[in-house]
Amino acid sequence: MSFPITRLRRLRKSPVIRNMVRETIVNRDDLIMPYFVCPGEGVQNPIPSMPGNYQWSIDLLVKEIKDLYSTTGIDKILLFGIPEEKDEDGSVACRHDAIVPRAIEALKKEVPEVMIVADVCNCEYTTHGHCGTVVDGDVNNDLTLKTLAAQSVTLAQAGADIIAPSDMMDGRVGVIRKALDENGFENTPIMAYSAKYASAFYGPFRDAAESAPQFGDRSTYQMDPANSDEALREVEQDIIEGADMVMVKPALSYLDVINRVKATFNMPLVAYNVSGEFSMVKAAAQNGWIDEQRIIREILTSIKRAGADVIITYHAKEFILNNQ
């Protein structure tokens, strides 16, 4: 039937009707909130390029996560570490007294209801800021796999619920899966950063994690933003190697990739609404150019509508507080 018998505006006439027929709904179960943990006590360092985000010492991070859980019900976080010291290959992250394992142990003791996703990468822990062991001016893939596997086991032993390798080394999911299984963590899932692009949207994160590369860039291991067929190959390889969830990062400029990955593989799909995407919204809101809360809702809805099952976002806490 066509107009005037069919009038599509009938289902938009009131908030109640619009809510009833809404196709895509973002709720707290879809969201993971990222945090940065740093050395010291009583530390809450503001991250200027990411308003409302901080580097937290372990004691204050525990208080923050307790507040997050009690006020919003968000029960999933992603942890990144700023270490006391760095080295050439990231081995400092493999120690049991490293910053993230200690944070996980404290959180599991004080807030056991909250699920912890532990990022696995070396960029925060290396003196050069690259995601692995550098040989002849580039990251050596196979040497890096050794530290990634060791770091993953250490994080699992500390109590991490999910291991999330973000380095983009070839073969790392298989190596990590084997290491976890051999150490009794066969039931610990892997959330693979499968299609992670060499993106300009990561700038604020590198300030937050103190992980900017000291030379060159990450184009030899992170993906070319122009490619989406290649993303399917990356995702397929991670699935073959044992990934339980796959990820597309960033989200907003890669909604087409999210959609293709979901349509092709139909498995749990995570999208990372990254720091640059977050900070652009904050900057525009501070200038009064946008309705911030409407923009946040629209962005998160678009990511889920594209096919994401889970969204990692720095907006998570405020989104729930403003939409309860």
Side-chain angles (χ1 to χ4, degrees), residues 97-144:
D97 63 350
I99 186 69
V100 174
R102 287 191 284 119
I104 293 171
E105 290 171 352
L107 287 166
K108 282 299 176 185
K109 180 179 179 181
E110 299 292 334
V111 204
E113 303 90 348
V114 172
M115 186 191 79
I116 300 173
V117 182
D119 180 81
V120 175
C121 193
N122 291 323
C123 61
E124 302 108 296
Y125 305 102
T126 54
T127 52
H128 44 73
H130 278 283
C131 297
T133 304
V134 172
V135 177
D136 297 329
D138 193 17
V139 173
N140 182 285
N141 193 94
D142 295 6
L143 289 177
T144 300

Tab-separated table of all heavy atoms in Angstrom, residues 97-144:
chain	number	residue	atom	x	y	z
A	97	ASP	N	54.345	-8.531	39.561
A	97	ASP	CA	54.186	-7.288	40.315
A	97	ASP	C	54.027	-6.085	39.400
A	97	ASP	O	54.161	-4.938	39.843
A	97	ASP	CB	55.368	-7.080	41.262
A	97	ASP	CG	56.701	-6.929	40.525
A	97	ASP	OD1	56.750	-7.178	39.293
A	97	ASP	OD2	57.694	-6.554	41.181
A	98	ALA	N	53.723	-6.317	38.114
A	98	ALA	CA	53.475	-5.217	37.194
A	98	ALA	C	52.179	-4.503	37.571
A	98	ALA	O	51.349	-5.026	38.323
A	98	ALA	CB	53.412	-5.723	35.760
A	99	ILE	N	51.999	-3.317	37.037
A	99	ILE	CA	50.908	-2.461	37.478
A	99	ILE	C	49.529	-3.073	37.214
A	99	ILE	O	48.660	-3.040	38.090
A	99	ILE	CB	51.030	-1.052	36.837
A	99	ILE	CG1	49.974	-0.104	37.406
A	99	ILE	CG2	50.956	-1.117	35.320
A	99	ILE	CD1	50.178	0.265	38.842
A	100	VAL	N	49.304	-3.659	36.047
A	100	VAL	CA	47.967	-4.182	35.753
A	100	VAL	C	47.653	-5.449	36.552
A	100	VAL	O	46.546	-5.552	37.106
A	100	VAL	CB	47.776	-4.391	34.237
A	100	VAL	CG1	46.439	-5.072	33.945
A	100	VAL	CG2	47.834	-3.045	33.506
A	101	PRO	N	48.551	-6.426	36.652
A	101	PRO	CA	48.243	-7.572	37.519
A	101	PRO	C	47.911	-7.172	38.948
A	101	PRO	O	46.985	-7.721	39.565
A	101	PRO	CB	49.519	-8.420	37.452
A	101	PRO	CG	50.098	-8.104	36.116
A	101	PRO	CD	49.814	-6.649	35.911
A	102	ARG	N	48.636	-6.191	39.492
A	102	ARG	CA	48.336	-5.744	40.856
A	102	ARG	C	46.968	-5.081	40.934
A	102	ARG	O	46.221	-5.264	41.908
A	102	ARG	CB	49.430	-4.791	41.353
A	102	ARG	CG	50.732	-5.505	41.687
A	102	ARG	CD	51.708	-4.600	42.410
A	102	ARG	NE	52.349	-3.647	41.520
A	102	ARG	CZ	52.254	-2.326	41.633
A	102	ARG	NH1	51.526	-1.791	42.593
A	102	ARG	NH2	52.868	-1.545	40.773
A	103	ALA	N	46.625	-4.320	39.901
A	103	ALA	CA	45.304	-3.680	39.874
A	103	ALA	C	44.198	-4.723	39.782
A	103	ALA	O	43.165	-4.619	40.460
A	103	ALA	CB	45.228	-2.711	38.702
A	104	ILE	N	44.406	-5.733	38.956
A	104	ILE	CA	43.403	-6.798	38.817
A	104	ILE	C	43.188	-7.495	40.150
A	104	ILE	O	42.040	-7.732	40.573
A	104	ILE	CB	43.834	-7.805	37.737
A	104	ILE	CG1	43.818	-7.155	36.347
A	104	ILE	CG2	42.926	-9.042	37.752
A	104	ILE	CD1	44.439	-8.012	35.255
A	105	GLU	N	44.261	-7.839	40.829
A	105	GLU	CA	44.138	-8.520	42.121
A	105	GLU	C	43.362	-7.675	43.126
A	105	GLU	O	42.502	-8.187	43.853
A	105	GLU	CB	45.533	-8.864	42.654
A	105	GLU	CG	46.229	-9.966	41.850
A	105	GLU	CD	47.674	-10.155	42.250
A	105	GLU	OE1	48.190	-9.336	43.051
A	105	GLU	OE2	48.308	-11.113	41.755
A	106	ALA	N	43.646	-6.373	43.161
A	106	ALA	CA	42.940	-5.486	44.094
A	106	ALA	C	41.459	-5.379	43.739
A	106	ALA	O	40.590	-5.415	44.621
A	106	ALA	CB	43.591	-4.098	44.084
A	107	LEU	N	41.168	-5.259	42.459
A	107	LEU	CA	39.772	-5.137	42.033
A	107	LEU	C	39.001	-6.427	42.288
A	107	LEU	O	37.832	-6.389	42.708
A	107	LEU	CB	39.716	-4.761	40.550
A	107	LEU	CG	40.121	-3.321	40.217
A	107	LEU	CD1	40.359	-3.168	38.720
A	107	LEU	CD2	39.057	-2.335	40.682
A	108	LYS	N	39.616	-7.551	42.036
A	108	LYS	CA	38.933	-8.819	42.267
A	108	LYS	C	38.631	-9.045	43.751
A	108	LYS	O	37.636	-9.687	44.104
A	108	LYS	CB	39.776	-9.974	41.704
A	108	LYS	CG	39.683	-10.116	40.192
A	108	LYS	CD	38.260	-10.393	39.765
A	108	LYS	CE	38.080	-10.455	38.282
A	108	LYS	NZ	36.656	-10.610	37.902
A	109	LYS	N	39.486	-8.499	44.594
A	109	LYS	CA	39.256	-8.622	46.031
A	109	LYS	C	38.127	-7.711	46.494
A	109	LYS	O	37.290	-8.102	47.318
A	109	LYS	CB	40.547	-8.283	46.784
A	109	LYS	CG	40.423	-8.388	48.293
A	109	LYS	CD	41.746	-8.060	48.971
A	109	LYS	CE	41.630	-8.143	50.493
A	109	LYS	NZ	42.924	-7.805	51.161
A	110	GLU	N	38.060	-6.487	45.942
A	110	GLU	CA	37.136	-5.473	46.442
A	110	GLU	C	35.843	-5.367	45.636
A	110	GLU	O	34.807	-4.978	46.184
A	110	GLU	CB	37.838	-4.105	46.459
A	110	GLU	CG	39.057	-4.033	47.358
A	110	GLU	CD	38.695	-4.143	48.824
A	110	GLU	OE1	37.552	-3.788	49.187
A	110	GLU	OE2	39.551	-4.589	49.612
A	111	VAL	N	35.909	-5.663	44.335
A	111	VAL	CA	34.713	-5.534	43.487
A	111	VAL	C	34.604	-6.778	42.608
A	111	VAL	O	34.726	-6.711	41.377
A	111	VAL	CB	34.768	-4.270	42.599
A	111	VAL	CG1	33.347	-3.839	42.204
A	111	VAL	CG2	35.495	-3.126	43.261
A	112	PRO	N	34.383	-7.952	43.180
A	112	PRO	CA	34.409	-9.192	42.407
A	112	PRO	C	33.295	-9.286	41.369
A	112	PRO	O	33.391	-10.090	40.435
A	112	PRO	CB	34.252	-10.278	43.481
A	112	PRO	CG	33.580	-9.595	44.632
A	112	PRO	CD	34.109	-8.196	44.616
A	113	GLU	N	32.272	-8.450	41.501
A	113	GLU	CA	31.160	-8.509	40.543
A	113	GLU	C	31.548	-7.965	39.168
A	113	GLU	O	30.866	-8.237	38.175
A	113	GLU	CB	29.967	-7.678	41.070
A	113	GLU	CG	29.477	-8.099	42.443
A	113	GLU	CD	30.178	-7.374	43.577
A	113	GLU	OE1	31.208	-6.702	43.325
A	113	GLU	OE2	29.686	-7.481	44.712
A	114	VAL	N	32.608	-7.189	39.113
A	114	VAL	CA	32.991	-6.516	37.865
A	114	VAL	C	33.937	-7.393	37.059
A	114	VAL	O	34.939	-7.898	37.574
A	114	VAL	CB	33.633	-5.145	38.162
A	114	VAL	CG1	34.201	-4.519	36.893
A	114	VAL	CG2	32.600	-4.211	38.795
A	115	MET	N	33.603	-7.584	35.786
A	115	MET	CA	34.427	-8.366	34.867
A	115	MET	C	35.555	-7.492	34.325
A	115	MET	O	35.330	-6.350	33.934
A	115	MET	CB	33.575	-8.872	33.700
A	115	MET	CG	34.308	-9.814	32.765
A	115	MET	SD	33.362	-10.121	31.251
A	115	MET	CE	33.726	-8.628	30.341
A	116	ILE	N	36.763	-8.045	34.297
A	116	ILE	CA	37.936	-7.282	33.868
A	116	ILE	C	38.469	-7.839	32.555
A	116	ILE	O	38.838	-9.011	32.457
A	116	ILE	CB	39.045	-7.322	34.937
A	116	ILE	CG1	38.536	-6.722	36.253
A	116	ILE	CG2	40.280	-6.576	34.439
A	116	ILE	CD1	39.504	-6.868	37.411
A	117	VAL	N	38.492	-6.973	31.551
A	117	VAL	CA	39.152	-7.276	30.279
A	117	VAL	C	40.543	-6.671	30.356
A	117	VAL	O	40.690	-5.475	30.630
A	117	VAL	CB	38.386	-6.683	29.083
A	117	VAL	CG1	39.062	-7.066	27.776
A	117	VAL	CG2	36.923	-7.128	29.089
A	118	ALA	N	41.572	-7.466	30.145
A	118	ALA	CA	42.949	-6.991	30.242
A	118	ALA	C	43.542	-6.834	28.843
A	118	ALA	O	43.657	-7.805	28.093
A	118	ALA	CB	43.797	-7.964	31.059
A	119	ASP	N	43.882	-5.603	28.497
A	119	ASP	CA	44.551	-5.349	27.224
A	119	ASP	C	45.937	-5.977	27.245
A	119	ASP	O	46.655	-5.881	28.241
A	119	ASP	CB	44.662	-3.841	26.993
A	119	ASP	CG	45.358	-3.504	25.690
A	119	ASP	OD1	44.694	-3.543	24.646
A	119	ASP	OD2	46.574	-3.209	25.731
A	120	VAL	N	46.295	-6.614	26.129
A	120	VAL	CA	47.619	-7.218	25.998
A	120	VAL	C	48.329	-6.547	24.835
A	120	VAL	O	47.943	-6.696	23.674
A	120	VAL	CB	47.536	-8.737	25.754
A	120	VAL	CG1	48.926	-9.319	25.510
A	120	VAL	CG2	46.874	-9.434	26.933
A	121	CYS	N	49.345	-5.769	25.165
A	121	CYS	CA	50.157	-5.110	24.143
A	121	CYS	C	51.422	-4.628	24.825
A	121	CYS	O	51.519	-4.662	26.058
A	121	CYS	CB	49.399	-3.945	23.503
A	121	CYS	SG	50.181	-3.322	21.981
A	122	ASN	N	52.385	-4.167	24.059
A	122	ASN	CA	53.646	-3.744	24.644
A	122	ASN	C	53.907	-2.250	24.535
A	122	ASN	O	54.892	-1.755	25.093
A	122	ASN	CB	54.814	-4.496	23.980
A	122	ASN	CG	54.831	-5.964	24.340
A	122	ASN	OD1	54.512	-6.333	25.461
A	122	ASN	ND2	55.183	-6.812	23.392
A	123	CYS	N	53.039	-1.508	23.836
A	123	CYS	CA	53.374	-0.115	23.545
A	123	CYS	C	53.524	0.736	24.803
A	123	CYS	O	54.353	1.656	24.839
A	123	CYS	CB	52.355	0.501	22.586
A	123	CYS	SG	50.662	0.540	23.197
A	124	GLU	N	52.721	0.454	25.855
A	124	GLU	CA	52.871	1.236	27.081
A	124	GLU	C	54.137	0.873	27.848
A	124	GLU	O	54.563	1.626	28.724
A	124	GLU	CB	51.687	1.003	28.036
A	124	GLU	CG	50.334	1.327	27.476
A	124	GLU	CD	49.528	0.075	27.183
A	124	GLU	OE1	49.956	-0.697	26.306
A	124	GLU	OE2	48.489	-0.133	27.853
A	125	TYR	N	54.723	-0.279	27.537
A	125	TYR	CA	55.791	-0.829	28.362
A	125	TYR	C	57.168	-0.780	27.707
A	125	TYR	O	58.158	-1.140	28.342
A	125	TYR	CB	55.450	-2.283	28.717
A	125	TYR	CG	54.096	-2.404	29.373
A	125	TYR	CD1	52.981	-2.839	28.664
A	125	TYR	CD2	53.915	-2.040	30.711
A	125	TYR	CE1	51.729	-2.923	29.258
A	125	TYR	CE2	52.671	-2.121	31.313
A	125	TYR	CZ	51.576	-2.563	30.582
A	125	TYR	OH	50.345	-2.629	31.171
A	126	THR	N	57.230	-0.347	26.453
A	126	THR	CA	58.515	-0.290	25.752
A	126	THR	C	59.053	1.139	25.723
A	126	THR	O	58.294	2.099	25.634
A	126	THR	CB	58.386	-0.804	24.307
A	126	THR	OG1	57.342	-0.091	23.631
A	126	THR	CG2	58.082	-2.286	24.285
A	127	THR	N	60.357	1.256	25.773
A	127	THR	CA	60.999	2.569	25.756
A	127	THR	C	60.760	3.289	24.430
A	127	THR	O	60.750	4.520	24.380
A	127	THR	CB	62.511	2.424	25.985
A	127	THR	OG1	63.036	1.468	25.049
A	127	THR	CG2	62.801	1.948	27.397
A	128	HIS	N	60.536	2.522	23.356
A	128	HIS	CA	60.360	3.116	22.022
A	128	HIS	C	58.897	3.342	21.661
A	128	HIS	O	58.595	3.986	20.667
A	128	HIS	CB	61.019	2.236	20.958
A	128	HIS	CG	60.740	0.780	21.123
A	128	HIS	ND1	59.518	0.211	20.848
A	128	HIS	CD2	61.538	-0.237	21.563
A	128	HIS	CE1	59.561	-1.084	21.095
A	128	HIS	NE2	60.783	-1.386	21.541
A	129	GLY	N	57.968	2.807	22.458
A	129	GLY	CA	56.562	3.052	22.233
A	129	GLY	C	55.908	2.208	21.161
A	129	GLY	O	54.725	2.411	20.856
A	130	HIS	N	56.646	1.266	20.588
A	130	HIS	CA	56.044	0.365	19.613
A	130	HIS	C	55.464	-0.861	20.328
A	130	HIS	O	55.736	-1.106	21.508
A	130	HIS	CB	57.050	-0.033	18.534
A	130	HIS	CG	57.179	0.996	17.458
A	130	HIS	ND1	56.248	1.151	16.460
A	130	HIS	CD2	58.133	1.942	17.239
A	130	HIS	CE1	56.615	2.140	15.651
A	130	HIS	NE2	57.754	2.636	16.111
A	131	CYS	N	54.688	-1.634	19.590
A	131	CYS	CA	53.891	-2.700	20.197
A	131	CYS	C	54.630	-4.023	20.321
A	131	CYS	O	54.004	-5.058	20.552
A	131	CYS	CB	52.595	-2.893	19.400
A	131	CYS	SG	51.529	-1.434	19.432
A	132	GLY	N	55.928	-4.019	20.159
A	132	GLY	CA	56.685	-5.254	20.285
A	132	GLY	C	58.172	-5.003	20.267
A	132	GLY	O	58.645	-3.868	20.426
A	133	THR	N	58.925	-6.072	20.038
A	133	THR	CA	60.373	-6.022	20.036
A	133	THR	C	60.869	-5.485	18.696
A	133	THR	O	60.544	-6.035	17.636
A	133	THR	CB	60.957	-7.426	20.275
A	133	THR	OG1	60.430	-7.942	21.509
A	133	THR	CG2	62.471	-7.389	20.337
A	134	VAL	N	61.644	-4.411	18.740
A	134	VAL	CA	62.124	-3.773	17.512
A	134	VAL	C	63.471	-4.371	17.102
A	134	VAL	O	64.401	-4.470	17.905
A	134	VAL	CB	62.249	-2.253	17.697
A	134	VAL	CG1	62.941	-1.604	16.502
A	134	VAL	CG2	60.867	-1.634	17.914
A	135	VAL	N	63.544	-4.784	15.841
A	135	VAL	CA	64.785	-5.275	15.244
A	135	VAL	C	64.963	-4.565	13.905
A	135	VAL	O	64.041	-4.568	13.077
A	135	VAL	CB	64.750	-6.805	15.032
A	135	VAL	CG1	66.032	-7.276	14.330
A	135	VAL	CG2	64.559	-7.533	16.354
A	136	ASP	N	66.103	-3.928	13.727
A	136	ASP	CA	66.390	-3.227	12.471
A	136	ASP	C	65.301	-2.223	12.110
A	136	ASP	O	64.850	-2.110	10.961
A	136	ASP	CB	66.586	-4.216	11.321
A	136	ASP	CG	67.778	-5.135	11.523
A	136	ASP	OD1	68.757	-4.686	12.163
A	136	ASP	OD2	67.723	-6.293	11.072
A	137	GLY	N	64.831	-1.495	13.106
A	137	GLY	CA	63.913	-0.403	12.859
A	137	GLY	C	62.458	-0.777	12.670
A	137	GLY	O	61.626	0.092	12.361
A	138	ASP	N	62.086	-2.051	12.862
A	138	ASP	CA	60.697	-2.459	12.735
A	138	ASP	C	60.381	-3.498	13.803
A	138	ASP	O	61.286	-4.156	14.346
A	138	ASP	CB	60.426	-3.035	11.340
A	138	ASP	CG	58.938	-3.182	11.034
A	138	ASP	OD1	58.125	-2.552	11.749
A	138	ASP	OD2	58.595	-3.923	10.093
A	139	VAL	N	59.109	-3.650	14.106
A	139	VAL	CA	58.704	-4.625	15.116
A	139	VAL	C	58.830	-6.036	14.557
A	139	VAL	O	58.251	-6.359	13.511
A	139	VAL	CB	57.249	-4.359	15.575
A	139	VAL	CG1	56.778	-5.466	16.495
A	139	VAL	CG2	57.150	-3.013	16.277
A	140	ASN	N	59.583	-6.869	15.264
A	140	ASN	CA	59.762	-8.259	14.866
A	140	ASN	C	58.575	-9.072	15.358
A	140	ASN	O	58.337	-9.189	16.561
A	140	ASN	CB	61.069	-8.808	15.453
A	140	ASN	CG	61.336	-10.238	15.022
A	140	ASN	OD1	60.698	-11.170	15.511
A	140	ASN	ND2	62.277	-10.411	14.112
A	141	ASN	N	57.844	-9.620	14.426
A	141	ASN	CA	56.592	-10.307	14.739
A	141	ASN	C	56.792	-11.463	15.710
A	141	ASN	O	56.156	-11.534	16.772
A	141	ASN	CB	55.972	-10.823	13.445
A	141	ASN	CG	54.534	-11.272	13.603
A	141	ASN	OD1	53.608	-10.523	13.369
A	141	ASN	ND2	54.336	-12.526	13.995
A	142	ASP	N	57.693	-12.382	15.387
A	142	ASP	CA	57.767	-13.634	16.132
A	142	ASP	C	58.404	-13.476	17.512
A	142	ASP	O	58.017	-14.173	18.458
A	142	ASP	CB	58.513	-14.689	15.306
A	142	ASP	CG	57.738	-15.053	14.033
A	142	ASP	OD1	56.704	-14.410	13.765
A	142	ASP	OD2	58.170	-15.968	13.311
A	143	LEU	N	59.355	-12.546	17.637
A	143	LEU	CA	59.904	-12.268	18.964
A	143	LEU	C	58.839	-11.645	19.864
A	143	LEU	O	58.772	-11.950	21.060
A	143	LEU	CB	61.114	-11.336	18.855
A	143	LEU	CG	62.390	-11.925	18.254
A	143	LEU	CD1	63.465	-10.850	18.148
A	143	LEU	CD2	62.899	-13.102	19.092
A	144	THR	N	58.004	-10.815	19.285
A	144	THR	CA	56.947	-10.156	20.059
A	144	THR	C	55.937	-11.163	20.587
A	144	THR	O	55.381	-10.992	21.685
A	144	THR	CB	56.251	-9.090	19.190
A	144	THR	OG1	57.219	-8.118	18.774
A	144	THR	CG2	55.134	-8.401	19.956
